[in-house]
Amino acid sequence: MKKVLIKLIVFLVTFVVALIVAGKVMNQGHDNMTMEMAAATLPVMHVERDGVAYNELHGYVVPMDVASMRDVVTVLGENREFSVQIDTYGRNVTGMSLEVRSIDGTRLIENTPVTGLQTGKKEFSVVVSLKDLIEKDREYAVKLTLTLDDDRQVSYYTRAIWSESLHIEEKLDFVRDFHERLYDKEAARELTRYLETNAQLEDNTSFHKVNIHSSFKQITWGDLGVKEETEPVILMTEIGEQTASFLVNFLVSTEAAQTRTYYRVVEHYRIRYTSDRIYLLNYERTMTQIPDVEKMYANDKILLGITDSNIPLAESEDGSTVAFEVDGSLYSYNSVSNKLAVVFSFYDQTYTDSRAMYDRHGIKILNVDEGGNISFAVYGYMNRGRHEGEVGIQVYTYNSTLNTIEENVYIPYHKEYALLKPQMERLLYLNRDQVLYLMLEDVIYSINLEEKTYYPLATITQMDTVQISESNWIVVWQEGEDIYHSRRLNIRNLNNDVQQEIRVSADEAVKPLGFMGEDIIYGVAREEDIYRESSGRILFPMYKVCICDAQGNLLKEYQPEGIYVTECSIESNQITLSRVKKQANGSYAETTADQIMNSTKEETGKFVIVAPGIDIYERYVQIQTRHNIDSKTIQILTPKEVVFEGGRELVLEAESDATRYYVYGAYGVENLFSSPAKAVLLANEVSGVVVDQNGHCIWRKGNRVARNQIMAIHEDKVTEEKSSLAVCLDTVLKYEGVVRNTQALLEQGQTVQDILQANLENVQVLDLAGCELDAMLYYVNQDLPVLALLSDGEAVLITGFNEYNVVVMDPKKGTLAKMGMNDATDWLKKNGNNFVTYIRTE
């Protein structure tokens, strides 16, 4: 018996020792295969103007499309120079060069080394001077390239303009003074003359969003007692003679019960300079709490604090795990294992490294399974880690058992984050078979993550020919290159890779309009009703609108007698249809809009976002969990990243040459369009700028002088041989130094856009039908005439304006005369606001 006991003890001891040794070996092996995200290594630049730092520039280690790099604009000095301060963060800079190009990047103007570097210092300044090869009051693309001690080259991008009439010092001083006064309620009293406090426009219940309409108490931080933790970083995003737009980034903190909480803050200023004073056109402040995982739970709540109440959130099917993104970081909570994880974050521990805090990336949660594993994508500028200094799309998997994240694929992108963001927000979906779908540069891709292969599913020529459901499950697009005569829609269920079709008869054409949930909305037009107007614009009047499910089964049909639908907008559970009536002469006239309602209610998950008002913090965002969170047993996890040999880069090579118009608002690109008119309409609404895919400025809000007239254009009159439209076209061409018989061209069937584009060099012709007259004066201000087509077939030219009038050249009357601004606005609106103009691209 004693021998048996001894043998048993020896066996147990041996077994335990073997387990300990094996565990150490396994853990040692696991540690060798994982690592924490590498710290940031690249230097940072700041532009300086009379001792004021602005335009923080971050480095790129791969070549970028310079036409897309328009985050900031730098004003050159009198001698075409500007000063940059370089924070090397311990790196040794061995060389520096300057490259200057035309704004579209096609023409190289200068490529020279920069001298005067103070190598060996942690921080130093250098004056960069451009050669006498640039013109005043014209924007250029500038690239500064540093050579580091390991021979790696890092590039920094800014737009640059040489001008003496931009009043940059006064504008920078205004922004700095306004910002500093907000911390002192007495000093801030001076700011009340700039505010437009209105309780009907702003309810003053949240510090997350504060704007020019907020109360004085709200705009001066209420009773939060904030402390500024970092120097404000001023970014100048747009500037003109009168107006300018700025972003100001900084960190603040509050203290309660000896606990300090940190917040990232972004201010947006839009101002207008006059010789008398500066006007504040818009002010908005966004305050977002940086979650502290050690203190972000209480009872049955995950505490997010002062932040957006519409945070991206996804949960597993069984409701055990929730993943949520706050301020560029991804978190998860598993209610079964009681684990809270910081799945992904570029932040460092102190929040003081501007490279780690740089907010030019987004996160999309792709899937959360019952085991707590999460698939997600990080897209945009990579602050640190394996792809530091690159822009791309990084797809990860978080393994909750091993507490690791692993890169599945990396897709590089050669343009800035501002252009990538709206594309990823439109389509980025991962199905159960690990097939990733995304839309990039007008191509829909299917990417197999396991095999690291891809194929282009569809190439999109016009943005409104493809529609994607909000869940990204269903994509529908027109088949064929002639989008106005397409007879087939392709329906792709991305979840199971099943594709269906919708076909119409040979004398009809079909167009996708949008989604109501996962149900598809599309319109059908008769071929005989589709026609091209003299401007070149194609009217697609749909005699019926249909709603079908993802399998193409018809659910509802809308077909009013004698009424045609031209546009469709969808908001929440309501479809709004813009409609026209067909007239006896075959033309169409606008009629009242109509609505279709949807009674389907959205489903809610196990985790619910709530935002009660709490004490001095006001609206305080929380995630309500199913059960109380046990603070004694909760585990706080920060996963390491799996290290692998080689690369997992996948370069997508399909391209589209479609023209795109990007609308830049306060914080970047608001949306992109195929139609310049739609882009101008949105830019006018958000006080923004329209830029095409080549970097050319198409339209800009503000910066218009009080009066201007194109004096080279005189009155002219119709004849028996020449219509008013031909007179207008001849006048425009003559103004640009071209002589043509446009009446003959019109009789051959050419449109306004055809004639102008074929006969004018280095211009882009713009169909701006639907825009307001006030927006068209931007072009007249640039000495570019605007052609207005009237509903009776006549045409006029707009050639001038002042505060109260516009100047109209009317060939039918043979006059060049003033018309009251309000009268002209009403008159042209009744005639459909059918405008055509152009911009010069050189």
Side-chain angles (χ1 to χ4, degrees), residues 23-38:
K24 286 185 176 180
V25 171
M26 290 177 68
N27 285 334
Q28 182 179 4
H30 181 65
D31 286 343
N32 288 337
M33 295 169 60
T34 63
M35 63 177 289
E36 294 182 355
M37 185 187 298

Side-chain angles (χ1 to χ4, degrees), residues 455-467:
Y455 73 91
L457 180 64
T459 300
I460 307 303
T461 56
Q462 294 281 342
M463 294 302 294
D464 56 359
T465 64
V466 60
Q467 298 293 339

